[in-house]
Amino acid sequence: MKILVTGGLGFIGTNFIRYWLNNHPTDQIINLDKITYAANPHNLDDLKSNYLFVQGDILDSVLLDQILPGCDLIVHFAAESHVDRSIDDPLLFVKTNVLGTYTLLSAAKKHGNIRFHHISTDEVFGSIPFGSNTEFSESTPYDPSSPYSASKASSDHFVRSFGKTYGLPITITNCSNNYGPYQYPEKLVPRMITNLIDHQKIPVYGQGENFRDWLYVTDHCSAIEAVITKGKIGETYCIGGLKETCRNIDLVNLVINLMGKSSDQIEFVADRPAHDNYAVSWQKINQDLGWQPKETLESGLRKTIDWYLNNESWWRQAKTEAEEFYKKLNNYQNLKK
Ligand code: NAD
Ligand code: DAU
């Protein structure tokens, strides 16, 4: 099989390409990535066979016409992925996540209705109220809160519409928060690990009461594999990693304990606007496709902490840039007050 992966130099895309070629060594992968701030161009330098990297934009339909012929499957990761950046610059999210996905769908249709697997997020469903035991599932109505989740919701609608209108063979996965190796250190888990390595405080938004489901990235990759190989065309599958959600403050304390640090390292800071809560039911993918996560939160965090401890050269420059972004965001928010 020949697969076009988009966004394969980002966090999940990098892990997915490694996972896929390990488990399907005769398949071929073309990795199309624009190399934004979130990509590391050297992530996959060691891949020698059955792998081709193309630097480019998913909005470039001429380039897509050159690389899509012969592809059997598109796995679409490329996106602007950070909620805080979408609050700062929403238009970029409309361009990449909505127009970019539309451009890719049109190209998939043009080149013989190529199978299209779309990677989406649980954030499209909105927020679980505090104190409620409910969970998002495939039938939860869309109610996005941030410009990021609104752009992902829109992209999901376009993917489904191409399935219904043009018969494009699509599948969608909506997953919870991923963590693991190669994650850009703007996101909570790598930000706190690298702050602790640097003896810096961990900024916790609000009182840390917001909660999420956490999914180790390799478990996400195996879930995508299950949907690609066994999923039903036209269907959506929700993916989560835990049976119960975790409050941010509990996650932060767990990482602090695993790294042998003290809770004095926590600093409560201003809350994120429209800060929401997520909990995902992964019953459907479990029952229909037999998938379940392998890692517990603790085992996944141990692997992740070890990776960041052993790969400082990978994250050092990115961390400087990520903290510059946060400084700019704070200055901007202070100016607006
Ligand atoms: P990331 O930000 O780490 O990587 C995104 C990649 O896409 C980067 O390599 C970037 O260069 C590339 N890219 C961005 N714009 C592009 C464009 N116009 N053309 C080509 N490439 C472009 O993101 P991630 O965390 O790996 O997320 C991957 C996908 O998974 C996204 O669609 C995201 O919405 C979704 N998702 C992520 C999470 C999570 O917890 N990280 C959870 C649910 C869903
Ligand atoms: O749920 C899936 C989503 O998870 C994905 O669609 C997004 O691409 C991904 O970025 C992630 O979004 P979140 O907003 O949940 O992730 P983030 O790591 O930014 O924040 C996780 C939680 O931690 C959130 O409640 C905000 C809080 N937070 C975050 C940062 C960066 C802090 O308290 N302090 C921080 O410094």
Side-chain angles (χ1 to χ4, degrees):
M1 185 156 63
K2 189 170 167 189
I3 307 170
L4 174 68
V5 172
T6 68
L9 289 181
F11 163 47
I12 307 174
T14 290
N15 281 283
F16 176 79
I17 290 174
R18 289 194 179 286
Y19 177 95
W20 192 273
L21 287 177
N22 268 336
N23 289 289
H24 307 266
T26 56
D27 283 351
Q28 286 176 284
I29 290 188
I30 301 175
N31 174 11
L32 173 65
D33 197 300
K34 187 177 170 183
I35 312 194
T36 68
Y37 79 94
N40 183 318
H42 301 298
N43 275 357
L44 297 171
D45 278 356
D46 56 309
L47 294 187
K48 299 284 177 247
S49 51
N50 294 356
Y51 171 74
L52 175 70
F53 173 66
V54 177
Q55 180 170 7
D57 196 323
I58 52 168
L59 281 145
D60 184 345
S61 54
V62 175
L63 177 63
L64 291 174
D65 283 346
Q66 287 164 9
I67 59 182
L68 270 178
C71 285
D72 307 291
L73 165 69
I74 298 171
V75 187
H76 177 36
F77 292 95
E80 289 295 333
S81 70
H82 192 36
V83 173
D84 290 325
R85 287 183 194 260
S86 79
I87 295 168
D88 189 43
D89 183 7
L91 182 58
L92 178 60
F93 286 68
V94 177
K95 286 181 184 158
T96 301
N97 299 357
V98 185
L99 278 177
T101 302
Y102 162 77
T103 307
L104 203 55
L105 285 164
S106 300
K109 169 177 167 269
K110 180 176 172 184
H111 290 278
N113 265 3
I114 299 171
R115 167 92 193 265
F116 194 103
H117 181 68
H118 180 57
I119 309 295
S120 191
T121 169
D122 59 359
E123 297 203 17
V124 298
F125 301 121
S127 192
I128 309 263
F130 285 107
S132 157
N133 279 332
T134 51
E135 290 178 318
F136 300 141
S137 73
E138 292 78 6
S139 58
T140 304
Y142 277 33
D143 186 19
S145 307
S146 69
Y148 162 70
S149 51
S151 68
K152 291 297 290 188
S154 176
S155 69
D156 291 10
H157 291 318
F158 271 103
V159 174
R160 278 193 198 97
S161 78
F162 269 65
K164 288 181 191 164
T165 309
Y166 306 113
L168 193 73
I170 61 108
T171 39
I172 299 178
T173 42
N174 294 85
C175 75
S176 60
N177 286 61
N178 284 220
Y179 66 101
Y182 299 103
Q183 188 168 30
Y184 190 79
E186 65 188 350
K187 306 282 167 61
L188 177 64
V189 169
R191 193 180 189 197
M192 59 181 162
I193 294 171
T194 52
N195 275 16
L196 289 174
I197 292 173
D198 282 350
H199 311 288
Q200 299 292 316
K201 297 231 176 203
I202 300 174
V204 173
Y205 298 169
Q207 291 304 305
E209 294 290 326
N210 289 79
F211 53 85
R212 266 137 180 73
D213 181 316
W214 290 95
L215 174 66
Y216 189 67
V217 66
T218 312
D219 283 329
H220 185 193
C221 295
S222 67
I224 299 168
E225 179 187 43
V227 173
I228 288 171
T229 56
K230 296 185 274 184
K232 202 167 149 202
I233 295 300
E235 292 286 309
T236 292
Y237 298 87
C238 285
I239 311 168
L242 305 177
K243 291 203 169 117
E244 283 175 15
T245 56
C246 180
R247 292 185 312 161
N248 289 342
I249 191 67
D250 297 327
L251 180 77
V252 170
N253 276 314
L254 179 56
V255 169
I256 284 175
N257 285 339
L258 291 173
M259 292 182 71
K261 304 281 182 173
S262 139
S263 53
D264 294 348
Q265 298 292 108
I266 295 172
E267 181 185 29
F268 293 101
V269 299
D271 210 349
R272 173 187 278 174
H275 199 171
D276 43 17
N277 298 313
Y278 321 128
V280 185
S281 163
W282 40 275
Q283 203 180 4
K284 175 177 171 181
I285 189 168
N286 178 250
Q287 286 183 351
D288 292 4
L289 309 183
W291 175 86
Q292 62 179 22
K294 285 198 176 124
E295 302 295 341
T296 63
L297 185 55
E298 189 172 323
S299 67
L301 283 174
R302 280 186 196 282
K303 288 185 178 177
T304 309
I305 291 167
D306 282 351
W307 191 86
Y308 281 89
L309 282 169
N310 291 319
N311 288 280
E312 183 177 342
S313 60
W314 183 90
W315 55 261
R316 179 53 68 193
Q317 177 63 27
K319 177 155 188 69
T320 305
E321 286 161 14
E323 293 306 326
E324 272 166 16
F325 160 73
Y326 279 117
K327 217 162 127 193
K328 191 188 112 204
L329 191 67
N330 287 340
N331 290 340
Y332 172 69
Q333 281 170 348
N334 288 338
L335 273 180
K336 281 204 306 187
K337 276 182 195 158

XYZ file of all heavy atoms in Angstrom, residues 233-307:
599
model
N -16.195 2.068 6.487
C -16.167 3.326 5.729
C -17.380 4.189 6.117
O -18.490 3.690 6.259
C -16.179 3.026 4.205
C -14.897 2.288 3.798
C -16.353 4.308 3.388
C -13.611 3.019 4.058
N -17.100 5.494 6.274
C -18.162 6.445 6.630
C -18.315 6.633 8.133
O -19.003 7.539 8.572
N -17.630 5.765 8.924
C -17.838 5.809 10.383
C -16.848 6.734 11.086
O -15.751 7.010 10.590
C -17.649 4.407 10.980
C -18.703 3.423 10.580
C -20.046 3.649 11.278
O -20.064 3.759 12.511
O -21.059 3.705 10.563
N -17.276 7.147 12.273
C -16.428 7.915 13.190
C -16.149 7.053 14.413
O -17.037 6.326 14.869
C -17.181 9.176 13.645
O -17.323 10.036 12.530
C -16.441 9.923 14.743
N -14.931 7.132 14.931
C -14.563 6.403 16.150
C -13.916 7.371 17.135
O -12.982 8.097 16.775
C -13.572 5.274 15.830
C -14.137 4.228 14.886
C -14.057 4.391 13.504
C -14.780 3.092 15.379
C -14.591 3.451 12.633
C -15.316 2.137 14.513
C -15.218 2.324 13.145
O -15.749 1.395 12.283
N -14.419 7.390 18.367
C -13.788 8.182 19.429
C -12.694 7.349 20.092
O -12.866 6.143 20.296
C -14.819 8.582 20.484
S -15.910 9.889 19.926
N -11.586 8.019 20.433
C -10.457 7.316 21.063
C -10.063 8.046 22.344
O -9.860 9.263 22.320
C -9.217 7.287 20.133
C -9.578 6.813 18.718
C -8.119 6.404 20.731
C -8.453 7.054 17.707
N -9.958 7.299 23.424
C -9.458 7.860 24.684
C -8.476 6.891 25.295
O -8.365 5.732 24.865
N -7.754 7.336 26.328
C -6.726 6.470 26.908
C -7.020 6.016 28.319
O -6.361 5.113 28.830
N -8.011 6.668 28.960
C -8.260 6.369 30.375
C -9.697 5.915 30.580
O -10.570 6.200 29.759
C -8.017 7.622 31.231
C -6.647 8.308 31.118
C -6.615 9.566 31.975
C -5.530 7.359 31.543
N -9.933 5.263 31.733
C -11.319 4.905 32.076
C -11.960 6.038 32.874
O -13.169 6.208 32.877
C -11.338 3.605 32.882
C -10.917 2.430 31.988
C -11.435 1.102 32.509
C -11.239 0.023 31.465
N -10.334 -1.032 31.897
N -11.118 6.800 33.577
C -11.624 7.975 34.303
C -10.770 9.168 33.938
O -9.566 9.026 33.718
C -11.534 7.742 35.812
C -12.631 6.838 36.310
C -12.496 6.500 37.770
O -11.735 7.167 38.485
O -13.163 5.539 38.179
N -11.382 10.350 33.935
C -10.615 11.534 33.544
C -9.658 11.940 34.661
O -9.735 11.444 35.781
C -11.554 12.717 33.262
O -12.359 12.928 34.412
C -12.400 12.464 32.041
N -8.792 12.884 34.321
C -7.770 13.327 35.272
C -7.786 14.853 35.316
O -7.720 15.501 34.261
C -6.422 12.810 34.760
S -5.044 13.246 35.797
N -7.881 15.429 36.537
C -7.802 16.894 36.655
C -6.363 17.331 36.367
O -5.403 16.611 36.718
C -8.187 17.328 38.065
C -9.643 17.107 38.422
C -9.919 17.681 39.800
N -8.909 17.258 40.783
C -8.669 17.864 41.943
N -9.373 18.920 42.288
N -7.741 17.423 42.777
N -6.217 18.521 35.798
C -4.864 18.996 35.484
C -3.970 18.988 36.719
O -2.808 18.582 36.650
C -4.919 20.418 34.909
C -5.516 20.442 33.511
O -5.586 19.418 32.842
N -5.963 21.603 33.073
N -4.522 19.412 37.853
C -3.698 19.500 39.063
C -3.214 18.109 39.490
O -2.082 17.963 39.973
C -4.469 20.231 40.203
C -3.540 20.563 41.359
C -5.696 19.462 40.670
C -2.483 21.574 41.063
N -4.050 17.086 39.253
C -3.629 15.722 39.624
C -2.541 15.220 38.668
O -1.600 14.533 39.090
C -4.837 14.768 39.619
C -5.872 15.189 40.664
O -5.461 15.713 41.717
O -7.078 15.015 40.413
N -2.679 15.581 37.398
C -1.651 15.198 36.417
C -0.320 15.862 36.768
O 0.741 15.221 36.757
C -2.111 15.623 35.016
C -1.143 15.294 33.896
C -1.215 13.819 33.544
C -1.431 16.130 32.652
N -0.389 17.147 37.091
C 0.826 17.896 37.418
C 1.497 17.271 38.649
O 2.715 17.037 38.664
C 0.482 19.392 37.669
C 1.664 20.143 38.250
C 0.021 20.053 36.368
N 0.706 16.954 39.664
C 1.288 16.345 40.872
C 1.885 14.975 40.593
O 2.912 14.601 41.167
C 0.236 16.273 41.993
C 0.169 17.598 42.752
O 1.206 18.163 43.107
N -1.033 18.105 42.966
N 1.246 14.218 39.685
C 1.787 12.901 39.330
C 3.158 13.061 38.667
O 4.129 12.351 39.009
C 0.795 12.174 38.402
C 1.185 10.797 37.903
C 1.495 9.831 39.055
C 0.054 10.188 37.040
N 3.270 13.998 37.731
C 4.567 14.209 37.050
C 5.615 14.681 38.058
O 6.767 14.214 38.048
C 4.402 15.198 35.876
C 5.758 15.628 35.330
C 3.573 14.563 34.764
N 5.208 15.587 38.948
C 6.138 16.077 39.980
C 6.655 14.897 40.820
O 7.861 14.768 41.065
C 5.429 17.137 40.855
C 5.347 18.460 40.084
C 6.142 17.330 42.194
C 4.555 19.555 40.780
N 5.751 14.007 41.215
C 6.175 12.838 42.017
C 7.090 11.919 41.229
O 8.117 11.461 41.727
C 4.949 12.032 42.482
C 4.231 12.756 43.606
O 4.828 13.589 44.274
N 2.948 12.459 43.801
N 6.706 11.651 39.965
C 7.515 10.731 39.150
C 8.919 11.286 38.928
O 9.876 10.529 38.754
C 6.836 10.456 37.803
C 5.537 9.630 37.851
C 4.870 9.574 36.483
C 5.819 8.210 38.352
N 9.035 12.626 38.928
C 10.353 13.233 38.695
C 11.067 13.575 40.006
O 12.149 14.181 39.984
C 10.209 14.478 37.806
C 9.780 14.119 36.385
S 9.668 15.546 35.293
C 11.385 15.992 35.050
N 10.462 13.173 41.123
C 11.104 13.406 42.421
C 11.198 14.879 42.783
O 12.157 15.297 43.449
N 10.240 15.688 42.343
C 10.272 17.136 42.632
C 9.206 17.474 43.670
O 8.458 16.605 44.130
C 10.010 17.923 41.335
C 10.964 17.604 40.215
C 12.286 18.305 40.405
C 13.217 18.009 39.242
N 14.442 18.765 39.271
N 9.077 18.774 43.984
C 8.144 19.178 45.044
C 6.992 20.002 44.459
O 7.152 20.681 43.436
C 8.912 20.002 46.074
O 8.167 21.086 46.511
N 5.838 19.961 45.152
C 4.683 20.713 44.645
C 4.875 22.224 44.806
O 4.067 23.017 44.337
C 3.383 20.251 45.306
O 3.539 20.296 46.692
N 5.979 22.657 45.438
C 6.320 24.094 45.449
C 6.570 24.588 44.028
O 6.604 25.791 43.782
C 7.628 24.338 46.228
C 7.462 24.025 47.697
O 6.298 23.844 48.126
O 8.488 23.936 48.396
N 6.796 23.647 43.112
C 7.086 24.016 41.714
C 5.830 24.467 40.963
O 5.914 24.838 39.791
C 7.689 22.826 40.955
C 8.994 22.327 41.480
C 10.105 23.327 41.259
O 10.568 23.950 42.196
N 10.501 23.517 40.008
N 4.655 24.381 41.607
C 3.406 24.762 40.920
C 3.138 26.252 41.103
O 3.285 26.783 42.198
C 2.211 23.956 41.495
C 2.385 22.472 41.189
C 0.883 24.488 40.944
C 1.356 21.577 41.870
N 2.723 26.898 39.996
C 2.332 28.310 40.072
C 0.975 28.454 39.383
O 0.851 28.128 38.192
C 3.387 29.149 39.326
C 3.109 30.624 39.338
C 4.123 31.394 38.490
O 4.658 30.833 37.502
O 4.347 32.571 38.824
N -0.042 28.892 40.131
C -1.367 29.076 39.522
C -1.374 30.405 38.771
O -0.966 31.431 39.323
C -2.464 29.026 40.595
C -2.583 27.664 41.210
C -2.029 27.391 42.461
C -3.216 26.628 40.520
C -2.110 26.126 43.022
C -3.302 25.350 41.078
C -2.748 25.102 42.328
N -1.809 30.357 37.505
C -1.785 31.573 36.662
C -3.183 31.806 36.085
O -4.087 30.981 36.273
C -0.747 31.433 35.508
C 0.658 31.244 36.051
C -1.113 30.299 34.555
N -3.328 32.955 35.370
C -4.637 33.315 34.800
C -5.183 32.173 33.947
O -4.430 31.480 33.244
C -4.486 34.561 33.940
N -6.497 31.998 33.984
C -7.117 30.893 33.248
C -7.153 31.174 31.745
O -7.106 32.327 31.319
C -8.551 30.677 33.779
C -8.981 29.227 33.654
O -8.269 28.449 32.986
O -10.022 28.885 34.227
N -7.256 30.108 30.966
C -7.432 30.208 29.503
C -8.878 30.641 29.241
O -9.796 30.083 29.868
C -7.150 28.831 28.904
C -7.446 28.694 27.442
C -7.288 27.252 26.980
N -5.913 26.889 26.699
C -5.513 25.654 26.383
N -6.391 24.671 26.313
N -4.247 25.399 26.123
N -9.135 31.589 28.300
C -10.527 31.904 27.964
C -11.241 30.669 27.412
O -10.640 29.869 26.692
C -10.390 32.966 26.850
C -8.992 33.452 26.907
C -8.156 32.369 27.514
N -12.519 30.507 27.758
C -13.344 29.382 27.277
C -12.707 28.031 27.597
O -12.809 27.068 26.816
C -13.619 29.503 25.768
N -12.043 27.947 28.730
C -11.333 26.720 29.131
C -12.350 25.592 29.346
O -13.261 25.728 30.161
C -10.592 27.002 30.437
C -9.492 26.040 30.733
N -8.598 26.224 31.746
C -9.133 24.873 30.133
C -7.745 25.224 31.776
N -8.041 24.390 30.802
N -12.192 24.495 28.647
C -13.228 23.448 28.749
C -12.676 22.118 29.266
O -11.485 21.968 29.519
C -14.023 23.297 27.442
C -13.162 23.323 26.217
O -11.941 23.141 26.364
O -13.692 23.516 25.113
N -13.585 21.149 29.408
C -13.280 19.833 30.002
C -13.664 18.724 29.026
O -14.703 18.824 28.369
C -14.120 19.620 31.270
C -13.825 20.636 32.331
O -12.666 20.915 32.642
N -14.882 21.218 32.887
N -12.837 17.689 28.988
C -13.124 16.587 28.050
C -13.083 15.223 28.739
O -12.218 14.973 29.577
C -12.093 16.532 26.909
C -11.661 17.856 26.382
C -10.316 18.178 26.285
C -12.598 18.800 25.966
C -9.898 19.407 25.805
C -12.188 20.032 25.483
C -10.839 20.327 25.407
O -10.440 21.544 24.938
N -14.007 14.370 28.336
C -13.999 12.958 28.752
C -14.540 12.173 27.559
O -15.557 12.552 26.982
C -14.895 12.757 29.962
N -13.858 11.110 27.207
C -14.207 10.392 25.973
C -14.575 8.943 26.267
O -13.833 8.240 26.964
C -13.003 10.340 25.005
C -13.382 9.716 23.686
C -12.443 11.712 24.776
N -15.673 8.490 25.697
C -15.980 7.062 25.747
C -15.345 6.392 24.529
O -15.614 6.801 23.392
C -17.493 6.844 25.707
O -17.741 5.503 25.359
N -14.513 5.351 24.770
C -13.925 4.619 23.630
C -14.538 3.228 23.506
O -13.926 2.282 23.024
C -12.403 4.589 23.721
C -11.802 4.382 25.076
C -11.537 5.332 26.018
C -11.368 3.135 25.660
N -10.971 4.766 27.135
C -10.848 3.422 26.946
C -11.359 1.813 25.223
C -10.337 2.422 27.780
C -10.848 0.827 26.056
C -10.350 1.140 27.308
N -15.823 3.158 23.899
C -16.537 1.875 23.877
C -16.707 1.330 22.451
O -16.539 0.136 22.210
C -17.908 2.089 24.506
C -18.522 0.831 25.035
C -19.901 1.091 25.647
O -20.415 2.208 25.610
N -20.481 0.069 26.205
N -17.018 2.235 21.506
C -17.312 1.754 20.147
C -16.078 1.101 19.502
O -16.163 -0.019 18.973
C -17.806 2.916 19.276
C -18.033 2.549 17.820
C -18.586 3.722 17.033
C -18.613 3.437 15.549
N -19.129 4.575 14.769
N -14.937 1.788 19.569
C -13.728 1.225 18.936
C -13.295 -0.050 19.677
O -12.767 -0.986 19.076
C -12.586 2.275 18.861
C -11.422 1.740 18.012
C -12.091 2.733 20.209
C -10.395 2.790 17.632
N -13.568 -0.099 20.974
C -13.241 -1.296 21.759
C -14.129 -2.464 21.338
O -13.642 -3.572 21.043
C -13.402 -0.962 23.243
C -13.123 -2.167 24.122
O -14.022 -2.717 24.738
N -11.881 -2.596 24.161
N -15.429 -2.214 21.266
C -16.364 -3.315 20.957
C -16.308 -3.728 19.483
O -16.309 -4.901 19.152
C -17.784 -2.901 21.329
C -17.974 -2.907 22.836
C -19.383 -2.563 23.278
O -20.213 -2.158 22.459
N -19.658 -2.711 24.556
N -16.258 -2.731 18.575
C -16.336 -3.050 17.143
C -14.996 -3.508 16.568
O -14.958 -4.361 15.686
C -16.814 -1.831 16.337
C -18.261 -1.482 16.624
O -18.858 -2.136 17.502
O -18.789 -0.547 15.994
N -13.884 -2.937 17.057
C -12.589 -3.226 16.436
C -11.607 -3.901 17.393
O -10.472 -4.208 17.011
C -11.963 -1.932 15.883
C -12.860 -1.078 14.969
C -12.086 0.129 14.437
C -13.416 -1.881 13.794
N -12.019 -4.106 18.642
C -11.170 -4.816 19.607
C -9.966 -4.031 20.089
O -9.022 -4.602 20.631
N -9.995 -2.707 19.908
C -8.844 -1.889 20.348
C -8.951 -1.496 21.813
O -10.055 -1.248 22.306
C -8.755 -0.604 19.507
C -7.676 0.329 20.004
C -6.358 0.309 19.668
C -7.822 1.395 20.965
N -5.675 1.290 20.349
C -6.546 1.975 21.156
C -8.910 1.899 21.687
C -6.330 3.039 22.023
C -8.689 2.963 22.566
C -7.413 3.529 22.725
N -7.824 -1.485 22.494
C -7.768 -0.860 23.818
C -6.354 -0.337 24.054
O -5.397 -0.833 23.455
C -8.174 -1.830 24.922
C -7.287 -3.032 25.035
C -7.744 -3.935 26.187
O -8.878 -3.901 26.611
N -6.823 -4.737 26.672
N -6.225 0.711 24.906
C -4.879 1.252 25.148
C -4.035 0.272 25.940
O -4.558 -0.474 26.769
C -5.150 2.527 25.967
C -6.510 2.371 26.541
C -7.273 1.436 25.653
N -2.704 0.305 25.697
C -1.792 -0.584 26.442
C -1.221 0.112 27.675
O -0.941 -0.526 28.667
C -0.626 -0.996 25.536
C -1.004 -2.029 24.503
C 0.251 -2.714 23.957
C -0.130 -3.803 22.993
N 0.496 -3.645 21.678
N -0.999 1.430 27.561
C -0.323 2.153 28.646
C -1.309 2.661 29.686
O -2.420 3.092 29.339
C 0.453 3.369 28.085
C 1.488 3.034 27.039
C 2.657 2.191 27.561
O 2.883 2.136 28.786
O 3.339 1.578 26.721
N -0.888 2.645 30.941
C -1.611 3.386 31.981
C -1.049 4.810 31.958
O 0.005 5.067 31.343
C -1.357 2.784 33.367
O 0.045 2.923 33.667
C -1.763 1.319 33.422
N -1.708 5.719 32.654
C -1.190 7.091 32.684
C 0.225 7.098 33.281
O 1.127 7.772 32.770
C -2.139 7.984 33.501
C -1.803 9.471 33.522
C -1.679 10.056 32.124
C -2.863 10.251 34.315
N 0.418 6.299 34.328
C 1.736 6.305 34.978
C 2.820 5.709 34.073
O 3.901 6.279 33.926
C 1.656 5.560 36.311
C 2.929 5.753 37.089
C 2.859 5.209 38.516
O 1.799 5.319 39.161
O 3.884 4.660 38.957
N 2.506 4.576 33.422
C 3.551 3.954 32.580
C 3.869 4.845 31.378
O 5.030 4.992 30.978
C 3.139 2.546 32.137
O 2.031 2.595 31.246
N 2.831 5.474 30.809
C 3.059 6.366 29.665
C 3.863 7.591 30.070
O 4.765 8.032 29.338
N 3.552 8.139 31.247
C 4.299 9.322 31.704
C 5.752 8.968 31.994
O 6.661 9.748 31.700
C 3.637 9.925 32.945
C 2.363 10.740 32.674
C 1.704 11.168 33.987
C 2.645 11.972 31.806
N 5.985 7.783 32.572
C 7.388 7.376 32.841
C 8.184 7.337 31.534
O 9.308 7.829 31.457
C 7.434 5.987 33.491
C 7.151 5.998 34.967
C 7.372 4.604 35.564
N 6.769 4.491 36.872
C 7.299 4.986 37.993
N 8.457 5.616 37.946
N 6.684 4.870 39.151
N 7.591 6.741 30.479
C 8.293 6.668 29.179
C 8.550 8.072 28.641
O 9.599 8.371 28.067
C 7.445 5.899 28.162
C 7.379 4.418 28.434
C 6.626 3.700 27.330
C 6.629 2.205 27.600
N 5.882 1.433 26.631
N 7.539 8.945 28.798
C 7.642 10.301 28.253
C 8.723 11.098 28.999
O 9.566 11.765 28.377
C 6.277 11.016 28.382
O 5.281 10.158 27.823
C 6.276 12.347 27.666
N 8.723 10.995 30.321
C 9.733 11.709 31.121
C 11.133 11.231 30.729
O 12.038 12.029 30.496
C 9.470 11.487 32.633
C 8.182 12.207 33.044
C 10.653 11.973 33.481
C 7.643 11.805 34.414
N 11.306 9.913 30.601
C 12.624 9.364 30.210
C 13.061 9.930 28.862
O 14.223 10.287 28.666
C 12.565 7.834 30.093
C 12.618 7.188 31.467
O 12.875 7.913 32.441
O 12.357 5.958 31.560
N 12.099 10.004 27.927
C 12.457 10.489 26.590
C 12.943 11.941 26.654
O 13.967 12.283 26.059
C 11.264 10.352 25.628
C 11.674 10.578 24.197
C 12.178 9.658 23.333
C 11.658 11.821 23.489
N 12.474 10.244 22.117
C 12.159 11.568 22.189
C 11.267 13.115 23.809
C 12.281 12.568 21.207
C 11.390 14.118 22.834
C 11.887 13.840 21.559
